[in-house]
Amino acid sequence: DPAVAASDGDSPLQREDGLRPRRLADYIGQGELKQVLGIAVEATRGRGEALDHVLLYGPPGLGKTTMALVLAEELGVRCRITSAPALERPRDIVGLLVNLQPNELLFIDEIHRLNRVAEELLYPAMEDFRLDLTVGKGTTARTRSLPIAPFTLVGATTRAGALSSPLRDRFGLIQRLEFYGLDDLQAIVQRAAGLLQVALDAEAALEVARRCRGTPRIANRLLRRVRDVAAVGGHGRVSAALVQEALSLHRVDARGLDAHDRRLLTLMLESYGGGPVGLDTLAAGLGEDPATLEAVVEPYLLQQGLLQRTPRGRVLTDAGRAHLAAA
Ligand code: ADP
């Protein structure tokens, strides 16, 4: 079934990434997240029950899928991975739910995109481990209840606000993932470099850390590019200078901003005098979907203090202007 990937299988998700930490202790950063989930895991293990349902939200690439896999590993159960767009027909989600073994995890990415029918099937499943199925049509239609194994739903979303409140209310644990600080990113890069067998100076790792938008997925991607440049150039050890050279090709600037980020800031400055300007106007100007702009591009710029959200629209900050002027 292409809609599902088992965590122990040879799925594209697994192949993409031999770099995912597998245990809580290897999961770098996100202290509060690890603390909260660590306690929940330990308590649950003691009781032999399914972990409470978990909702993870935050920008892409910060480790939501990784955390779901880590939780499964810590609990000693399997994690089934899917995403809301793959659950279009009712039978997709029903098939998944009836096949779960006791206490397994079901990870649904982009859970804010679940359709109405799928969402309503999930409510009794999450609450009472029960599926309410309609059998027959018209006047002979009736509802049949089917028990399913106790399980844990791990939902991930970039847009917690887009979740319906009945769905959100059914998660016992709701946790936000934050952009990573430089120290954590440096550690993530060094760990990944070890796994990829790249000899990297601490300074060089820091240089990658500075340029990855606070995001481990981007750090890993940049590290692979650095590895390519090092291999082609026949460099044994990778220095900070080599990282700068390798990444200047990829248009990531010294603050980690990519071409997307800079286009947004430049548009704000050049077409709207720095704002305030509405999200929809900016999205139209960039040819982007406003929801994506808000959930994927903006958060890092906000966190870096380059952009502000005000009631009248987005405003470029002094730091944002200074960054553009320096670039
Ligand atoms: P998301 O599901 O939030 O989009 P992922 O879980 O797919 O993000 O994480 C992206 C990649 O970043 C992972 O494949 C993993 O290698 C790396 N990664 C994420 N979080 C961490 C972490 N805390 N420590 C080390 N590597 C991480």
Side-chain angles (χ1 to χ4, degrees), residues 13 16-21 26-30 34 58-67 107 109 156 177 180 184 188 191 215-218 220:
L13 253 165
E16 174 199 307
D17 207 345
L19 299 180
R20 285 185 199 282
D26 306 321
Y27 192 101
I28 295 163
Q30 308 290 350
K34 277 192 302 197
L62 297 190
K64 297 183 289 296
T65 312
T66 305
M67 182 50 88
F107 177 78
D109 204 2
L177 280 86
Y180 291 72
D184 289 337
I188 287 171
R191 176 180 172 277
T215 306
R217 173 177 296 141
I218 300 180
N220 288 343

PDB file of all heavy atoms in Angstrom, residues 13 16-21 26-30 34 58-67 107 109 156 177 180 184 188 191 215-218 220, ligand 1:
ATOM      1  N   LEU A  13      11.060   7.087   2.917  1.00  0.00           N
ATOM      2  CA  LEU A  13      11.342   7.882   4.111  1.00  0.00           C
ATOM      3  C   LEU A  13      12.576   7.391   4.843  1.00  0.00           C
ATOM      4  O   LEU A  13      13.364   8.160   5.373  1.00  0.00           O
ATOM      5  CB  LEU A  13      10.164   7.734   5.071  1.00  0.00           C
ATOM      6  CG  LEU A  13       9.271   8.947   5.188  1.00  0.00           C
ATOM      7  CD1 LEU A  13       7.983   8.563   5.860  1.00  0.00           C
ATOM      8  CD2 LEU A  13       9.958  10.055   5.936  1.00  0.00           C
ATOM      9  N   GLU A  16      15.793   7.947   2.660  1.00  0.00           N
ATOM     10  CA  GLU A  16      16.156   9.358   2.616  1.00  0.00           C
ATOM     11  C   GLU A  16      17.177   9.634   3.705  1.00  0.00           C
ATOM     12  O   GLU A  16      18.041  10.460   3.576  1.00  0.00           O
ATOM     13  CB  GLU A  16      14.904  10.217   2.858  1.00  0.00           C
ATOM     14  CG  GLU A  16      15.197  11.706   2.977  1.00  0.00           C
ATOM     15  CD  GLU A  16      14.064  12.449   3.666  1.00  0.00           C
ATOM     16  OE1 GLU A  16      12.912  12.321   3.230  1.00  0.00           O
ATOM     17  OE2 GLU A  16      14.338  13.151   4.647  1.00  0.00           O
ATOM     18  N   ASP A  17      17.054   8.872   4.783  1.00  0.00           N
ATOM     19  CA  ASP A  17      17.682   9.395   5.954  1.00  0.00           C
ATOM     20  C   ASP A  17      18.239   8.392   6.923  1.00  0.00           C
ATOM     21  O   ASP A  17      17.576   7.951   7.842  1.00  0.00           O
ATOM     22  CB  ASP A  17      16.638  10.234   6.675  1.00  0.00           C
ATOM     23  CG  ASP A  17      17.336  11.294   7.479  1.00  0.00           C
ATOM     24  OD1 ASP A  17      18.542  11.151   7.669  1.00  0.00           O
ATOM     25  OD2 ASP A  17      16.656  12.224   7.879  1.00  0.00           O
ATOM     26  N   GLY A  18      19.490   8.073   6.729  1.00  0.00           N
ATOM     27  CA  GLY A  18      20.178   7.278   7.732  1.00  0.00           C
ATOM     28  C   GLY A  18      20.635   8.188   8.862  1.00  0.00           C
ATOM     29  O   GLY A  18      21.277   7.743   9.796  1.00  0.00           O
ATOM     30  N   LEU A  19      20.294   9.462   8.772  1.00  0.00           N
ATOM     31  CA  LEU A  19      20.802  10.431   9.737  1.00  0.00           C
ATOM     32  C   LEU A  19      19.853  10.657  10.905  1.00  0.00           C
ATOM     33  O   LEU A  19      20.191  11.333  11.867  1.00  0.00           O
ATOM     34  CB  LEU A  19      21.059  11.775   9.045  1.00  0.00           C
ATOM     35  CG  LEU A  19      22.080  11.752   7.919  1.00  0.00           C
ATOM     36  CD1 LEU A  19      22.254  13.132   7.321  1.00  0.00           C
ATOM     37  CD2 LEU A  19      23.418  11.225   8.424  1.00  0.00           C
ATOM     38  N   ARG A  20      18.656  10.107  10.809  1.00  0.00           N
ATOM     39  CA  ARG A  20      17.704  10.336  11.893  1.00  0.00           C
ATOM     40  C   ARG A  20      18.195   9.719  13.189  1.00  0.00           C
ATOM     41  O   ARG A  20      18.536   8.535  13.217  1.00  0.00           O
ATOM     42  CB  ARG A  20      16.371   9.650  11.578  1.00  0.00           C
ATOM     43  CG  ARG A  20      15.540  10.333  10.546  1.00  0.00           C
ATOM     44  CD  ARG A  20      14.206   9.603  10.435  1.00  0.00           C
ATOM     45  NE  ARG A  20      13.538   9.905   9.194  1.00  0.00           N
ATOM     46  CZ  ARG A  20      12.874  11.026   8.957  1.00  0.00           C
ATOM     47  NH1 ARG A  20      12.827  11.956   9.889  1.00  0.00           N
ATOM     48  NH2 ARG A  20      12.280  11.225   7.811  1.00  0.00           N
ATOM     49  N   PRO A  21      18.197  10.485  14.280  1.00  0.00           N
ATOM     50  CA  PRO A  21      18.484   9.865  15.572  1.00  0.00           C
ATOM     51  C   PRO A  21      17.381   8.860  15.891  1.00  0.00           C
ATOM     52  O   PRO A  21      16.233   9.078  15.524  1.00  0.00           O
ATOM     53  CB  PRO A  21      18.451  11.044  16.548  1.00  0.00           C
ATOM     54  CG  PRO A  21      17.823  12.172  15.832  1.00  0.00           C
ATOM     55  CD  PRO A  21      17.934  11.921  14.368  1.00  0.00           C
ATOM     56  N   ASP A  26      19.648  10.546  21.649  1.00  0.00           N
ATOM     57  CA  ASP A  26      20.394  11.040  20.482  1.00  0.00           C
ATOM     58  C   ASP A  26      19.703  12.218  19.811  1.00  0.00           C
ATOM     59  O   ASP A  26      20.233  12.810  18.877  1.00  0.00           O
ATOM     60  CB  ASP A  26      20.538   9.938  19.416  1.00  0.00           C
ATOM     61  CG  ASP A  26      21.139   8.684  19.979  1.00  0.00           C
ATOM     62  OD1 ASP A  26      22.052   8.805  20.814  1.00  0.00           O
ATOM     63  OD2 ASP A  26      20.696   7.586  19.597  1.00  0.00           O
ATOM     64  N   TYR A  27      18.498  12.482  20.239  1.00  0.00           N
ATOM     65  CA  TYR A  27      17.726  13.576  19.648  1.00  0.00           C
ATOM     66  C   TYR A  27      18.239  14.869  20.257  1.00  0.00           C
ATOM     67  O   TYR A  27      18.070  15.124  21.443  1.00  0.00           O
ATOM     68  CB  TYR A  27      16.247  13.350  19.953  1.00  0.00           C
ATOM     69  CG  TYR A  27      15.268  14.217  19.176  1.00  0.00           C
ATOM     70  CD1 TYR A  27      14.578  13.703  18.068  1.00  0.00           C
ATOM     71  CD2 TYR A  27      14.984  15.526  19.568  1.00  0.00           C
ATOM     72  CE1 TYR A  27      13.653  14.476  17.380  1.00  0.00           C
ATOM     73  CE2 TYR A  27      14.072  16.303  18.878  1.00  0.00           C
ATOM     74  CZ  TYR A  27      13.407  15.768  17.793  1.00  0.00           C
ATOM     75  OH  TYR A  27      12.488  16.538  17.119  1.00  0.00           O
ATOM     76  N   ILE A  28      18.878  15.670  19.443  1.00  0.00           N
ATOM     77  CA  ILE A  28      19.564  16.866  19.953  1.00  0.00           C
ATOM     78  C   ILE A  28      18.580  18.036  20.087  1.00  0.00           C
ATOM     79  O   ILE A  28      17.710  18.212  19.238  1.00  0.00           O
ATOM     80  CB  ILE A  28      20.730  17.216  19.007  1.00  0.00           C
ATOM     81  CG1 ILE A  28      21.780  16.091  19.042  1.00  0.00           C
ATOM     82  CG2 ILE A  28      21.363  18.560  19.370  1.00  0.00           C
ATOM     83  CD1 ILE A  28      22.750  16.098  17.904  1.00  0.00           C
ATOM     84  N   GLY A  29      18.742  18.816  21.154  1.00  0.00           N
ATOM     85  CA  GLY A  29      17.936  20.039  21.306  1.00  0.00           C
ATOM     86  C   GLY A  29      16.490  19.774  21.691  1.00  0.00           C
ATOM     87  O   GLY A  29      16.164  18.695  22.182  1.00  0.00           O
ATOM     88  N   GLN A  30      15.628  20.778  21.517  1.00  0.00           N
ATOM     89  CA  GLN A  30      14.204  20.679  21.859  1.00  0.00           C
ATOM     90  C   GLN A  30      14.022  20.142  23.278  1.00  0.00           C
ATOM     91  O   GLN A  30      13.255  19.188  23.504  1.00  0.00           O
ATOM     92  CB  GLN A  30      13.443  19.755  20.867  1.00  0.00           C
ATOM     93  CG  GLN A  30      13.625  20.084  19.403  1.00  0.00           C
ATOM     94  CD  GLN A  30      12.942  21.382  18.959  1.00  0.00           C
ATOM     95  OE1 GLN A  30      12.162  21.964  19.688  1.00  0.00           O
ATOM     96  NE2 GLN A  30      13.269  21.842  17.780  1.00  0.00           N
ATOM     97  N   LYS A  34      11.521  17.055  24.621  1.00  0.00           N
ATOM     98  CA  LYS A  34      12.068  15.770  25.057  1.00  0.00           C
ATOM     99  C   LYS A  34      11.680  15.466  26.493  1.00  0.00           C
ATOM    100  O   LYS A  34      11.399  14.322  26.835  1.00  0.00           O
ATOM    101  CB  LYS A  34      13.601  15.783  24.953  1.00  0.00           C
ATOM    102  CG  LYS A  34      14.090  15.486  23.571  1.00  0.00           C
ATOM    103  CD  LYS A  34      15.579  15.224  23.550  1.00  0.00           C
ATOM    104  CE  LYS A  34      16.368  16.395  24.094  1.00  0.00           C
ATOM    105  NZ  LYS A  34      17.796  16.345  23.716  1.00  0.00           N
ATOM    106  N   GLY A  58       4.963  22.868  14.032  1.00  0.00           N
ATOM    107  CA  GLY A  58       6.111  23.742  13.796  1.00  0.00           C
ATOM    108  C   GLY A  58       6.540  23.630  12.344  1.00  0.00           C
ATOM    109  O   GLY A  58       6.079  22.759  11.624  1.00  0.00           O
ATOM    110  N   PRO A  59       7.443  24.529  11.940  1.00  0.00           N
ATOM    111  CA  PRO A  59       7.899  24.562  10.550  1.00  0.00           C
ATOM    112  C   PRO A  59       8.500  23.225  10.085  1.00  0.00           C
ATOM    113  O   PRO A  59       8.920  22.416  10.921  1.00  0.00           O
ATOM    114  CB  PRO A  59       8.964  25.658  10.564  1.00  0.00           C
ATOM    115  CG  PRO A  59       8.638  26.510  11.733  1.00  0.00           C
ATOM    116  CD  PRO A  59       8.031  25.604  12.751  1.00  0.00           C
ATOM    117  N   PRO A  60       8.558  22.997   8.788  1.00  0.00           N
ATOM    118  CA  PRO A  60       9.085  21.737   8.278  1.00  0.00           C
ATOM    119  C   PRO A  60      10.563  21.544   8.600  1.00  0.00           C
ATOM    120  O   PRO A  60      11.308  22.522   8.730  1.00  0.00           O
ATOM    121  CB  PRO A  60       8.883  21.849   6.749  1.00  0.00           C
ATOM    122  CG  PRO A  60       8.524  23.252   6.458  1.00  0.00           C
ATOM    123  CD  PRO A  60       8.073  23.891   7.724  1.00  0.00           C
ATOM    124  N   GLY A  61      10.966  20.289   8.734  1.00  0.00           N
ATOM    125  CA  GLY A  61      12.376  19.954   8.859  1.00  0.00           C
ATOM    126  C   GLY A  61      12.948  20.071  10.252  1.00  0.00           C
ATOM    127  O   GLY A  61      14.147  19.925  10.445  1.00  0.00           O
ATOM    128  N   LEU A  62      12.073  20.299  11.264  1.00  0.00           N
ATOM    129  CA  LEU A  62      12.585  20.468  12.628  1.00  0.00           C
ATOM    130  C   LEU A  62      12.598  19.167  13.431  1.00  0.00           C
ATOM    131  O   LEU A  62      13.049  19.161  14.573  1.00  0.00           O
ATOM    132  CB  LEU A  62      11.766  21.519  13.392  1.00  0.00           C
ATOM    133  CG  LEU A  62      11.794  22.952  12.855  1.00  0.00           C
ATOM    134  CD1 LEU A  62      11.150  23.907  13.842  1.00  0.00           C
ATOM    135  CD2 LEU A  62      13.210  23.410  12.546  1.00  0.00           C
ATOM    136  N   GLY A  63      12.074  18.091  12.859  1.00  0.00           N
ATOM    137  CA  GLY A  63      12.198  16.818  13.569  1.00  0.00           C
ATOM    138  C   GLY A  63      10.895  16.220  14.069  1.00  0.00           C
ATOM    139  O   GLY A  63      10.915  15.444  15.030  1.00  0.00           O
ATOM    140  N   LYS A  64       9.778  16.501  13.429  1.00  0.00           N
ATOM    141  CA  LYS A  64       8.498  15.939  13.862  1.00  0.00           C
ATOM    142  C   LYS A  64       8.417  14.447  13.525  1.00  0.00           C
ATOM    143  O   LYS A  64       8.108  13.628  14.396  1.00  0.00           O
ATOM    144  CB  LYS A  64       7.332  16.711  13.214  1.00  0.00           C
ATOM    145  CG  LYS A  64       7.293  18.184  13.652  1.00  0.00           C
ATOM    146  CD  LYS A  64       6.122  18.948  13.089  1.00  0.00           C
ATOM    147  CE  LYS A  64       6.209  19.230  11.607  1.00  0.00           C
ATOM    148  NZ  LYS A  64       7.348  20.106  11.249  1.00  0.00           N
ATOM    149  N   THR A  65       8.721  14.121  12.273  1.00  0.00           N
ATOM    150  CA  THR A  65       8.693  12.707  11.872  1.00  0.00           C
ATOM    151  C   THR A  65       9.722  11.920  12.681  1.00  0.00           C
ATOM    152  O   THR A  65       9.454  10.810  13.154  1.00  0.00           O
ATOM    153  CB  THR A  65       9.037  12.568  10.369  1.00  0.00           C
ATOM    154  OG1 THR A  65       8.263  13.515   9.642  1.00  0.00           O
ATOM    155  CG2 THR A  65       8.751  11.170   9.874  1.00  0.00           C
ATOM    156  N   THR A  66      10.887  12.518  12.828  1.00  0.00           N
ATOM    157  CA  THR A  66      11.953  11.873  13.591  1.00  0.00           C
ATOM    158  C   THR A  66      11.485  11.574  15.008  1.00  0.00           C
ATOM    159  O   THR A  66      11.722  10.480  15.526  1.00  0.00           O
ATOM    160  CB  THR A  66      13.195  12.793  13.633  1.00  0.00           C
ATOM    161  OG1 THR A  66      13.550  13.120  12.293  1.00  0.00           O
ATOM    162  CG2 THR A  66      14.361  12.130  14.332  1.00  0.00           C
ATOM    163  N   MET A  67      10.809  12.524  15.632  1.00  0.00           N
ATOM    164  CA  MET A  67      10.333  12.313  16.997  1.00  0.00           C
ATOM    165  C   MET A  67       9.315  11.176  17.059  1.00  0.00           C
ATOM    166  O   MET A  67       9.325  10.383  17.997  1.00  0.00           O
ATOM    167  CB  MET A  67       9.752  13.612  17.565  1.00  0.00           C
ATOM    168  CG  MET A  67       9.272  13.497  19.005  1.00  0.00           C
ATOM    169  SD  MET A  67      10.490  12.751  20.146  1.00  0.00           S
ATOM    170  CE  MET A  67      11.429  14.181  20.660  1.00  0.00           C
ATOM    171  N   PHE A 107       1.524   7.686  12.554  1.00  0.00           N
ATOM    172  CA  PHE A 107       1.977   9.060  12.322  1.00  0.00           C
ATOM    173  C   PHE A 107       1.266   9.620  11.093  1.00  0.00           C
ATOM    174  O   PHE A 107       1.361   9.056  10.007  1.00  0.00           O
ATOM    175  CB  PHE A 107       3.492   9.075  12.098  1.00  0.00           C
ATOM    176  CG  PHE A 107       4.054  10.440  11.775  1.00  0.00           C
ATOM    177  CD1 PHE A 107       4.248  11.382  12.784  1.00  0.00           C
ATOM    178  CD2 PHE A 107       4.388  10.793  10.473  1.00  0.00           C
ATOM    179  CE1 PHE A 107       4.772  12.643  12.497  1.00  0.00           C
ATOM    180  CE2 PHE A 107       4.907  12.055  10.179  1.00  0.00           C
ATOM    181  CZ  PHE A 107       5.092  12.981  11.190  1.00  0.00           C
ATOM    182  N   ASP A 109       1.202  12.888   8.859  1.00  0.00           N
ATOM    183  CA  ASP A 109       1.805  14.182   8.558  1.00  0.00           C
ATOM    184  C   ASP A 109       0.757  15.088   7.917  1.00  0.00           C
ATOM    185  O   ASP A 109      -0.220  14.600   7.346  1.00  0.00           O
ATOM    186  CB  ASP A 109       2.978  13.960   7.585  1.00  0.00           C
ATOM    187  CG  ASP A 109       3.995  15.090   7.661  1.00  0.00           C
ATOM    188  OD1 ASP A 109       3.819  16.011   8.478  1.00  0.00           O
ATOM    189  OD2 ASP A 109       4.971  15.048   6.894  1.00  0.00           O
ATOM    190  N   ALA A 156       1.223  15.533  12.858  1.00  0.00           N
ATOM    191  CA  ALA A 156       2.192  16.614  12.652  1.00  0.00           C
ATOM    192  C   ALA A 156       1.588  17.652  11.728  1.00  0.00           C
ATOM    193  O   ALA A 156       0.861  17.315  10.797  1.00  0.00           O
ATOM    194  CB  ALA A 156       3.485  16.075  12.044  1.00  0.00           C
ATOM    195  N   LEU A 177       7.523  22.545  18.094  1.00  0.00           N
ATOM    196  CA  LEU A 177       8.964  22.445  17.856  1.00  0.00           C
ATOM    197  C   LEU A 177       9.506  23.817  17.501  1.00  0.00           C
ATOM    198  O   LEU A 177       8.889  24.564  16.760  1.00  0.00           O
ATOM    199  CB  LEU A 177       9.275  21.443  16.742  1.00  0.00           C
ATOM    200  CG  LEU A 177       9.242  19.991  17.243  1.00  0.00           C
ATOM    201  CD1 LEU A 177       7.838  19.455  17.199  1.00  0.00           C
ATOM    202  CD2 LEU A 177      10.191  19.115  16.467  1.00  0.00           C
ATOM    203  N   TYR A 180      16.223  25.544  15.976  1.00  0.00           N
ATOM    204  CA  TYR A 180      17.354  25.144  16.812  1.00  0.00           C
ATOM    205  C   TYR A 180      18.351  26.287  16.953  1.00  0.00           C
ATOM    206  O   TYR A 180      18.572  27.046  16.014  1.00  0.00           O
ATOM    207  CB  TYR A 180      18.070  23.924  16.207  1.00  0.00           C
ATOM    208  CG  TYR A 180      17.244  22.657  16.257  1.00  0.00           C
ATOM    209  CD1 TYR A 180      16.135  22.503  15.428  1.00  0.00           C
ATOM    210  CD2 TYR A 180      17.560  21.621  17.129  1.00  0.00           C
ATOM    211  CE1 TYR A 180      15.365  21.342  15.476  1.00  0.00           C
ATOM    212  CE2 TYR A 180      16.804  20.464  17.173  1.00  0.00           C
ATOM    213  CZ  TYR A 180      15.712  20.329  16.353  1.00  0.00           C
ATOM    214  OH  TYR A 180      14.958  19.190  16.402  1.00  0.00           O
ATOM    215  N   ASP A 184      23.095  23.622  19.224  1.00  0.00           N
ATOM    216  CA  ASP A 184      22.424  22.373  18.859  1.00  0.00           C
ATOM    217  C   ASP A 184      22.666  22.035  17.399  1.00  0.00           C
ATOM    218  O   ASP A 184      22.918  20.882  17.039  1.00  0.00           O
ATOM    219  CB  ASP A 184      20.919  22.479  19.121  1.00  0.00           C
ATOM    220  CG  ASP A 184      20.602  22.481  20.616  1.00  0.00           C
ATOM    221  OD1 ASP A 184      21.440  21.984  21.398  1.00  0.00           O
ATOM    222  OD2 ASP A 184      19.516  22.968  20.996  1.00  0.00           O
ATOM    223  N   ILE A 188      24.336  18.790  15.764  1.00  0.00           N
ATOM    224  CA  ILE A 188      23.627  17.983  14.761  1.00  0.00           C
ATOM    225  C   ILE A 188      24.514  17.780  13.534  1.00  0.00           C
ATOM    226  O   ILE A 188      24.626  16.674  12.996  1.00  0.00           O
ATOM    227  CB  ILE A 188      22.283  18.657  14.381  1.00  0.00           C
ATOM    228  CG1 ILE A 188      21.284  18.503  15.540  1.00  0.00           C
ATOM    229  CG2 ILE A 188      21.705  18.066  13.092  1.00  0.00           C
ATOM    230  CD1 ILE A 188      20.000  19.311  15.395  1.00  0.00           C
ATOM    231  N   ARG A 191      27.347  15.363  14.394  1.00  0.00           N
ATOM    232  CA  ARG A 191      26.848  13.985  14.459  1.00  0.00           C
ATOM    233  C   ARG A 191      26.637  13.432  13.048  1.00  0.00           C
ATOM    234  O   ARG A 191      27.072  12.328  12.722  1.00  0.00           O
ATOM    235  CB  ARG A 191      25.540  13.957  15.243  1.00  0.00           C
ATOM    236  CG  ARG A 191      24.888  12.602  15.288  1.00  0.00           C
ATOM    237  CD  ARG A 191      23.577  12.613  16.089  1.00  0.00           C
ATOM    238  NE  ARG A 191      22.912  11.334  15.937  1.00  0.00           N
ATOM    239  CZ  ARG A 191      22.147  11.031  14.907  1.00  0.00           C
ATOM    240  NH1 ARG A 191      21.920  11.919  13.941  1.00  0.00           N
ATOM    241  NH2 ARG A 191      21.597   9.830  14.818  1.00  0.00           N
ATOM    242  N   THR A 215      17.349  24.841  10.995  1.00  0.00           N
ATOM    243  CA  THR A 215      16.589  23.654  10.598  1.00  0.00           C
ATOM    244  C   THR A 215      17.500  22.453  10.308  1.00  0.00           C
ATOM    245  O   THR A 215      18.295  22.498   9.362  1.00  0.00           O
ATOM    246  CB  THR A 215      15.772  23.984   9.319  1.00  0.00           C
ATOM    247  OG1 THR A 215      14.981  25.148   9.571  1.00  0.00           O
ATOM    248  CG2 THR A 215      14.887  22.842   8.899  1.00  0.00           C
ATOM    249  N   PRO A 216      17.386  21.376  11.087  1.00  0.00           N
ATOM    250  CA  PRO A 216      18.249  20.217  10.861  1.00  0.00           C
ATOM    251  C   PRO A 216      18.170  19.635   9.446  1.00  0.00           C
ATOM    252  O   PRO A 216      19.186  19.232   8.892  1.00  0.00           O
ATOM    253  CB  PRO A 216      17.745  19.182  11.872  1.00  0.00           C
ATOM    254  CG  PRO A 216      17.102  19.970  12.943  1.00  0.00           C
ATOM    255  CD  PRO A 216      16.550  21.209  12.290  1.00  0.00           C
ATOM    256  N   ARG A 217      16.980  19.617   8.865  1.00  0.00           N
ATOM    257  CA  ARG A 217      16.891  19.042   7.509  1.00  0.00           C
ATOM    258  C   ARG A 217      17.780  19.825   6.544  1.00  0.00           C
ATOM    259  O   ARG A 217      18.469  19.243   5.712  1.00  0.00           O
ATOM    260  CB  ARG A 217      15.456  19.036   6.993  1.00  0.00           C
ATOM    261  CG  ARG A 217      15.392  18.594   5.508  1.00  0.00           C
ATOM    262  CD  ARG A 217      13.986  18.494   4.966  1.00  0.00           C
ATOM    263  NE  ARG A 217      13.253  17.467   5.670  1.00  0.00           N
ATOM    264  CZ  ARG A 217      11.977  17.572   6.015  1.00  0.00           C
ATOM    265  NH1 ARG A 217      11.295  18.653   5.704  1.00  0.00           N
ATOM    266  NH2 ARG A 217      11.394  16.589   6.658  1.00  0.00           N
ATOM    267  N   ILE A 218      17.774  21.162   6.691  1.00  0.00           N
ATOM    268  CA  ILE A 218      18.603  21.977   5.802  1.00  0.00           C
ATOM    269  C   ILE A 218      20.074  21.771   6.138  1.00  0.00           C
ATOM    270  O   ILE A 218      20.919  21.666   5.247  1.00  0.00           O
ATOM    271  CB  ILE A 218      18.199  23.469   5.890  1.00  0.00           C
ATOM    272  CG1 ILE A 218      16.729  23.625   5.474  1.00  0.00           C
ATOM    273  CG2 ILE A 218      19.114  24.335   5.022  1.00  0.00           C
ATOM    274  CD1 ILE A 218      16.209  25.047   5.526  1.00  0.00           C
ATOM    275  N   ASN A 220      21.498  19.086   7.179  1.00  0.00           N
ATOM    276  CA  ASN A 220      21.929  17.824   6.564  1.00  0.00           C
ATOM    277  C   ASN A 220      22.097  17.966   5.055  1.00  0.00           C
ATOM    278  O   ASN A 220      23.025  17.420   4.464  1.00  0.00           O
ATOM    279  CB  ASN A 220      20.930  16.709   6.872  1.00  0.00           C
ATOM    280  CG  ASN A 220      21.004  16.278   8.330  1.00  0.00           C
ATOM    281  OD1 ASN A 220      21.978  16.579   9.020  1.00  0.00           O
ATOM    282  ND2 ASN A 220      19.979  15.588   8.796  1.00  0.00           N
TER     283      ASN A 220
HETATM  284  P1  ADP B   1       9.751  17.221  10.011  1.00  0.00           P
HETATM  285  O1  ADP B   1       8.991  15.937  10.134  1.00  0.00           O
HETATM  286  O2  ADP B   1       9.530  18.163  11.149  1.00  0.00           O
HETATM  287  O3  ADP B   1       9.581  17.897   8.678  1.00  0.00           O
HETATM  288  P2  ADP B   1      12.067  15.467  10.099  1.00  0.00           P
HETATM  289  O4  ADP B   1      11.761  14.700  11.319  1.00  0.00           O
HETATM  290  O5  ADP B   1      11.852  14.790   8.800  1.00  0.00           O
HETATM  291  O6  ADP B   1      11.310  16.884  10.109  1.00  0.00           O
HETATM  292  O7  ADP B   1      13.583  15.967  10.257  1.00  0.00           O
HETATM  293  C1  ADP B   1      14.379  16.345   9.169  1.00  0.00           C
HETATM  294  C2  ADP B   1      15.762  15.732   9.295  1.00  0.00           C
HETATM  295  O8  ADP B   1      16.513  16.465  10.245  1.00  0.00           O
HETATM  296  C3  ADP B   1      15.721  14.320   9.825  1.00  0.00           C
HETATM  297  O9  ADP B   1      15.776  13.446   8.769  1.00  0.00           O
HETATM  298  C4  ADP B   1      16.917  14.187  10.752  1.00  0.00           C
HETATM  299  O10 ADP B   1      18.018  13.605  10.092  1.00  0.00           O
HETATM  300  C5  ADP B   1      17.245  15.595  11.102  1.00  0.00           C
HETATM  301  N1  ADP B   1      16.855  15.898  12.486  1.00  0.00           N
HETATM  302  C6  ADP B   1      15.678  16.409  12.887  1.00  0.00           C
HETATM  303  N2  ADP B   1      15.659  16.628  14.197  1.00  0.00           N
HETATM  304  C7  ADP B   1      16.861  16.252  14.655  1.00  0.00           C
HETATM  305  C8  ADP B   1      17.464  16.261  15.971  1.00  0.00           C
HETATM  306  N3  ADP B   1      16.805  16.710  17.033  1.00  0.00           N
HETATM  307  N4  ADP B   1      18.719  15.794  16.081  1.00  0.00           N
HETATM  308  C9  ADP B   1      19.387  15.364  15.002  1.00  0.00           C
HETATM  309  N5  ADP B   1      18.886  15.346  13.742  1.00  0.00           N
HETATM  310  C10 ADP B   1      17.638  15.783  13.563  1.00  0.00           C
END
